[in-house]
Amino acid sequence: MKRKRDSARPRQIIDLDGSPSPELDDDNLRFGNNPIVVLNVGPNKTRFDVHKRQLCELSPFFQAAFNGQFREQAGSMDLVEDDVHAFEHFVRWLYQGNVGIHLEGEIDLLRVRLRELYNVYLLADKYNVSPLKNDIMEILFDAVKADRVKSRNKGVLCPRRPRKHDMEHVYSNTVQCSPLRKFVIACYTWLVNLQCYTDGSFSDWLRRNPEIATDLAIGFASRLQGGKDPFAKGQDASVFLELSESDGGSDQT
């Protein structure tokens, strides 16, 4: 079943060059009704001017920061630990409804774009922007599922699947039961030739990453006990999506 689109998902507000979208009414364009907040991102404090209403409606973190009891009085905030490129994609999504990352091209380019998607997901996870996390998850899911259908040959790895260093990156920046962890584990449970696990270097990698090894063991146990293949024909990304508060809370249980 296709998930119901979140009502909080952003619609286009302004173009990235600052020009008003023709779809907007006067209320949304009034500065007084929708002030600008300044976010200084990364170690160089790259400045992003963002409409407060759109930002706060989608992120409980920013809602508390700019509207809560201990709100930022100056209407600005430094986010020096965040990745500037990931934040650029977040702002693009905030105003245009898409992150602007397409999983196409040669393998080296695909790997760069996959890492960008993971970084945007992790940023959205940090600030609890569930609609963005779900949009990215659907991109990732559709890519690996399409690769699987195309390859069909046993043992051929899906080129747009997460790599081992991607899994390490995900596990270093998420908590237990994260939907993104669930996704990368499912990729290595269902989309990878089982013979690769007999390779000595892979075994060494698992020993260095016990948390990943444990989750993979649980995934394989479920598979061997007749668990449902999440990438089978007719399946969609819903098992990896996070419920918004309006849908009844998070599914991270």
Side-chain angles (χ1 to χ4, degrees):
M1 180 184 295
K2 271 288 185 186
R3 77 179 169 99
K4 182 180 178 183
R5 286 291 181 181
D6 196 307
S7 59
R9 181 176 177 169
R11 61 193 182 88
Q12 187 172 349
I13 303 301
I14 61 173
D15 292 331
L16 288 182
D17 62 2
S19 59
S21 164
E23 299 177 3
L24 295 179
D25 55 33
D26 289 339
D27 263 354
N28 284 320
L29 294 174
R30 265 191 213 113
F31 183 84
N33 287 344
N34 195 6
I36 295 290
V37 295
V38 176
L39 303 172
N40 302 306
V41 180
N44 294 326
K45 295 187 177 180
T46 302
R47 175 171 173 153
F48 291 85
D49 294 345
V50 183
H51 284 92
K52 178 179 174 182
R53 181 187 304 158
Q54 280 69 47
L55 187 67
C56 294
E57 283 179 350
L58 286 159
S59 169
F61 173 88
F62 289 115
Q63 169 67 22
F66 290 113
N67 294 324
Q69 182 180 358
F70 302 105
R71 61 184 176 273
E72 299 288 329
Q73 298 295 334
S76 67
M77 179 179 290
D78 291 342
L79 306 172
V80 295
E81 295 182 354
D82 291 334
D83 179 80
V84 173
H85 296 299
F87 212 89
E88 286 175 348
H89 290 296
F90 168 53
V91 172
R92 177 191 177 102
W93 175 86
L94 190 68
Y95 287 118
Q96 296 189 355
N98 68 83
V99 293
I101 301 174
H102 305 286
L103 294 181
E104 300 171 354
E106 298 298 323
I107 188 66
D108 289 341
L109 180 59
L110 282 177
R111 291 175 181 175
V112 170
R113 289 176 173 174
L114 278 168
R115 177 54 70 96
E116 287 177 344
L117 277 174
Y118 294 133
N119 284 340
V120 180
Y121 186 102
L122 294 172
L123 182 76
D125 189 46
K126 178 178 181 179
Y127 296 121
N128 198 18
V129 186
S130 295
L132 175 54
K133 292 167 66 176
N134 289 341
D135 281 356
I136 294 172
M137 182 57 70
E138 288 188 334
I139 294 171
L140 294 170
F141 177 89
D142 290 346
V144 296
K145 188 172 181 181
D147 284 348
R148 188 193 209 188
V149 170
K150 287 178 182 178
S151 66
R152 290 293 180 188
N153 298 319
K154 210 168 189 180
V156 174
L157 301 180
C158 300
R160 292 180 288 186
R161 82 190 196 287
R163 321 299 288 190
K164 288 186 291 186
H165 64 271
D166 293 323
M167 294 182 73
E168 292 177 358
H169 183 55
V170 167
Y171 268 73
S172 296
N173 293 280
T174 55
V175 297
Q176 191 176 17
C177 298
S178 159
L180 188 57
R181 286 193 182 193
K182 187 176 180 180
F183 171 77
V184 297
I185 289 296
C187 287
Y188 271 75
T189 302
W190 295 95
L191 303 179
V192 175
N193 183 359
L194 299 183
Q195 199 164 4
C196 80
Y197 289 96
T198 64
D199 180 82
S201 62
F202 197 90
S203 299
D204 290 341
W205 177 75
L206 288 175
R207 279 192 287 272
R208 294 194 304 271
N209 294 277
E211 197 171 9
I212 295 175
T214 298
D215 286 348
L216 278 172
I218 294 171
F220 277 115
S222 174
R223 178 176 175 177
L224 292 172
Q225 292 170 9
K228 183 180 290 187
D229 179 354
F231 304 106
K233 185 177 180 180
Q235 298 298 312
D236 61 28
S238 57
V239 68
F240 303 114
L241 302 184
E242 181 175 272
L243 297 176
S244 67
E245 291 183 4
S246 61
D247 292 326
S250 170
D251 65 354
Q252 297 183 40
T253 57

